[in-house]
Amino acid sequence: MAAPFARFRPDVSMPGLLTTVRTAFDKVNDKRRQASVQYSMSDSLMAGLAIFSLKYPSLLMFDQHARSSEPVSNHNLRTLFGLSQVPCDSQMRAILDPVNPSELRGAFRAIHSGLQRSNSLKDFQLFNGKLLLSIDGTGTFSSTRISCKHCCVKKPKRNQKSDEGSEFYHQMLGAVIVHPERSTVLPLDFEPITRADGSNKNDCERNAGKRLIASLAAQYPKRGFIVIEDALAANGPHLKTLIEHRMDFIIVAKPGSNAALFETLDQRMKQGELQAWETVDEKTGLLRGYRICEQVPLNNTHTELLVNCLEYYEIDRQGKEHNWQWISSLQITPENAEQIMRAGRARWKIENETFNAAKNQGYHMGHSYGHGKQYLSSVLGGLMFLAFLIDQVQESFCRVFGEIRIHHKSRRNLWERLRAAFTTVKASEWEGFMRFWHKPGDFAFEIPSDRPT
Ligand SMILES: [Zn+2]
C-alpha cells in the first residue's frame, strides 16, 4: 500500500498561505469609487499573484487560459486562488497601476508572522536566535522605449538634455532571510529603487537601503537581524543607519574602498595586535587561515565608528589562494570566527538562490508584464517576490510540497507540470489538486497533448 500523502500545515502550505495573503490584500488601500468597482482589489492582486505562482511567461497567456477559452483555469482560479471574479489582463493592469507597492508589505508580514507562530523560523536562526538578512539590489526593468514617471533614467553622454537615446530602468532592493546550511531562502521585504513622486532625480541603492532598513525595523521590532551585504554597504552613513535601528551586520570590506581600515589592520598586524591562526584539513590538504581584530575605526571620516574585522583565507594543495574580509558589529572570537565566516559567505544566496532563481527558474523576473503609468511595474515585481516567498516557504517546511518536489529534478520542470495540471483538471481544493500535480498517472484521465502549457 502506498504511503499516505502528507497533510497540510496551515502556516506553511498553499491553502493556508493563500488565505493569509488574501486577508492581507483585503486591507490594501483602494482609491477607486466603490460604487463603480467591477473587480475587487483583492481579486486583482490574487490574479496577479496567480500569474507568478503558476509561472506564466506573459500576461497574455495567462489571460487566454483564465478567460472563457479555458474554463478549467478560470474554475481553478476561483476554487484554488479564491477569486470571486477573474479580471482580464487590461483590467488587472488598470486596477494595480495606482497601488503603492509598499501596500504589499502586509502580505509578506502576515506570512512571516505565521512562520513565527508555528516556530518554523527556528530552522533559520543562528547566534542565539538571530536571523541572517541578506540585502542586495537587482535590475527588474530596462527599456529605451517604455517608461513611467517613476523610471530612473540613464541619458547618453552625448545627449544630456532630452530623453532621446535614454535608458529607462527600475531596480529593486530585496531583503531575504538566509542560512549558511540551507538551500532555501525566505524573502522578507523589498523596496523599489525608482524615482519618488514628482522627483527628477534618480533613486539609488543607498537611499533605498535607508528606507528599507527603517521599514524593517518598524515592522519587525522584536526580531534580531544580522544584515549581510556587499562592499557597497561598508560606508559610514549606512552603518549608522543599521546601528540606529539596532541591527547587527557582517559586511564585505575591500582594500580599494576601505583603504584606511586596511592600513590600520596592517599596522596592527606589524605590532602583533591581531589574533591569527591556521588549520589544515588532513583529507583535502586545504589550509584555512583566520585573522581577527577588534575595534578598528571604519575610516578617517568616521573615526568614531569602530568595527570588528575578520579575514579568512584558504590555500589549496596547488597553492591557489582565496580570501575574504568582513567588518562586523559582532564580537569575533576564535570560537565563533568560523560561524561568522560562514554567515558572511551566505550573502551570495541573495544573488544565486534568489535573483538568479527568479530570473532563470521559471519566474521570468526582468520580463515586462506591463509597465503602467504609475506603480504597475513595481507592484508586479512585488507580487513576483511574494510568489517566490510562498514557494520557498513550501519548499522549506511543507511536506506535501516536498513529496511533489522530490519527483522533479529541475524547478522549471516542476513549474511546467504545475501549469499543465492547473489547465487540465478542475479541482475543488488544494489537496486533490496537489495529488494530481504529484502523480497525474494515478487519475483516470490523461493530459491532452494539444493543451497549451
Ligand atoms: Zn518606469
Side-chain angles (χ1 to χ4, degrees):
M1 200 177 127
F5 203 57
R7 301 295 297 272
F8 285 130
R9 278 170 53 204
D11 288 321
V12 298
S13 300
M14 199 59 172
L17 289 165
L18 289 183
T19 305
T20 300
V21 167
R22 171 92 197 191
T23 307
F25 284 170
D26 285 342
K27 294 174 192 152
V28 166
N29 189 10
D30 190 350
K31 292 177 192 144
R32 295 174 296 166
R33 277 193 296 121
Q34 293 305 304
S36 60
V37 162
Q38 187 186 358
Y39 298 101
S40 73
M41 177 59 75
S42 302
D43 276 351
S44 307
L45 286 162
M46 286 305 282
L49 180 69
I51 292 168
F52 301 115
S53 285
L54 298 164
K55 319 294 177 285
Y56 273 95
S58 72
L59 262 174
L60 185 66
M61 191 198 272
F62 174 78
D63 200 47
Q64 283 167 350
H65 283 195
R67 306 298 290 174
S68 56
S69 62
E70 283 287 342
V72 176
S73 304
N74 190 294
H75 175 274
N76 289 341
L77 283 170
R78 291 166 191 268
T79 54
L80 301 181
F81 282 85
L83 272 72
S84 313
Q85 294 183 83
V86 182
C88 76
D89 66 339
S90 57
Q91 289 157 334
M92 192 198 320
R93 285 192 185 109
I95 295 166
L96 299 186
D97 194 26
V99 175
N100 190 313
S102 65
E103 296 269 353
L104 299 181
R105 287 201 159 117
F108 284 84
R109 205 163 52 241
I111 291 178
H112 278 273
S113 299
L115 296 178
Q116 179 93 342
R117 230 176 8 246
S118 59
N119 208 18
S120 305
L121 286 177
K122 73 174 187 321
D123 293 352
F124 278 82
Q125 287 170 343
L126 282 163
F127 303 104
N128 297 326
K130 297 205 170 193
L131 293 163
L132 281 184
L133 193 62
S134 185
I135 297 181
D136 202 1
T138 191
T140 54
F141 168 81
S142 158
S143 172
T144 51
R145 288 182 305 111
I146 300 164
S147 66
C148 70
K149 65 180 187 177
H150 294 119
C151 270
C152 293
V153 187
K154 195 162 144 191
K155 290 178 188 283
K157 276 193 185 138
R158 57 186 157 74
N159 185 6
Q160 289 286 307
K161 286 191 180 150
S162 79
D163 276 349
E164 201 190 326
S166 294
E167 182 196 343
F168 303 96
Y169 65 93
H170 287 220
Q171 294 170 325
M172 180 185 99
L173 203 58
V176 178
I177 294 173
V178 301
H179 187 284
E181 271 89 53
R182 293 189 71 99
S183 61
T184 51
V185 301
L186 300 172
L188 180 66
D189 202 355
F190 72 103
E191 177 69 32
I193 306 177
T194 50
R195 288 187 177 188
D197 267 331
S199 170
N200 56 6
K201 274 193 185 155
N202 283 345
D203 194 11
C204 65
E205 196 167 318
R206 198 182 273 203
N207 286 341
K210 212 170 178 177
R211 299 194 298 270
L212 181 64
I213 297 292
S215 159
L216 284 165
Q219 291 183 87
Y220 302 96
K222 290 182 183 156
R223 299 265 175 100
F225 291 121
I226 301 170
V227 172
I228 46 179
E229 291 176 279
D230 66 18
L232 271 180
N235 64 76
H238 184 71
L239 294 196
K240 282 183 176 170
T241 303
L242 291 171
I243 293 164
E244 183 192 333
H245 292 99
R246 294 206 291 264
M247 292 193 191
D248 280 307
F249 56 83
I250 302 171
I251 293 174
V252 176
K254 298 258 188 218
S257 44
N258 301 101
L261 179 101
F262 279 85
E263 273 171 31
T264 312
L265 286 177
D266 278 348
Q267 281 169 14
R268 293 204 190 171
M269 189 151 79
K270 281 175 197 153
Q271 290 157 6
E273 290 174 6
L274 296 190
Q275 282 194 77
W277 68 97
E278 290 180 344
T279 61
V280 179
D281 187 314
E282 282 180 12
K283 267 191 196 158
T284 61
L286 189 72
L287 182 145
R288 295 190 171 92
Y290 295 85
R291 288 191 195 117
I292 56 180
C293 189
E294 285 189 77
Q295 303 290 295
V296 184
L298 178 70
N299 53 34
N300 296 331
T301 323
H302 297 278
T303 46
E304 79 287 7
L305 260 179
L306 301 174
V307 293
N308 300 322
C309 300
L310 170 65
E311 181 178 8
Y312 171 71
Y313 54 91
E314 289 179 355
I315 304 172
D316 66 16
R317 278 203 173 116
Q318 284 73 42
K320 204 169 170 190
E321 183 173 343
H322 294 281
N323 64 61
W324 297 263
Q325 289 102 2
W326 296 276
I327 53 172
S328 179
S329 56
L330 302 171
Q331 189 180 12
I332 309 170
T333 64
E335 289 71 38
N336 72 7
E338 184 181 346
Q339 200 179 20
I340 289 179
M341 173 274 285
R342 291 193 191 286
R345 288 180 69 181
R347 193 199 68 76
W348 61 269
K349 284 175 184 284
I350 194 165
E351 283 174 23
N352 276 25
E353 314 275 344
T354 311
F355 297 145
N356 287 352
K359 283 172 185 170
N360 306 321
Q361 292 181 10
Y363 296 86
H364 311 285
M365 191 184 221
H367 281 210
S368 183
Y369 286 84
H371 197 73
K373 293 191 173 83
Q374 297 182 70
Y375 298 110
L376 183 66
S377 178
S378 296
V379 170
L380 293 173
L383 288 172
M384 181 185 292
F385 209 43
L386 184 63
F388 185 67
L389 167 64
I390 291 171
D391 291 338
Q392 292 285 300
V393 168
Q394 291 187 88
E395 190 157 342
S396 302
F397 310 114
C398 175
R399 286 178 52 209
V400 181
F401 184 88
E403 287 188 23
I404 301 170
R405 178 76 180 93
I406 219 162
H407 283 275
H408 299 273
K409 278 195 182 136
S410 75
R411 283 213 178 87
R412 199 177 281 276
N413 182 253
L414 176 78
W415 304 137
E416 276 172 15
R417 295 285 316 122
L418 165 67
R419 211 165 55 240
F422 196 82
T423 52
T424 303
V425 58
K426 280 188 181 176
S428 58
E429 39 69 44
W430 276 99
E431 189 177 333
F433 174 72
M434 286 178 100
R435 279 175 188 277
F436 178 72
W437 179 16
H438 184 223
K439 284 185 181 171
D442 286 359
F443 288 71
F445 46 84
E446 289 181 355
I447 301 165
S449 58
D450 61 346
R451 187 156 316 257
T453 58

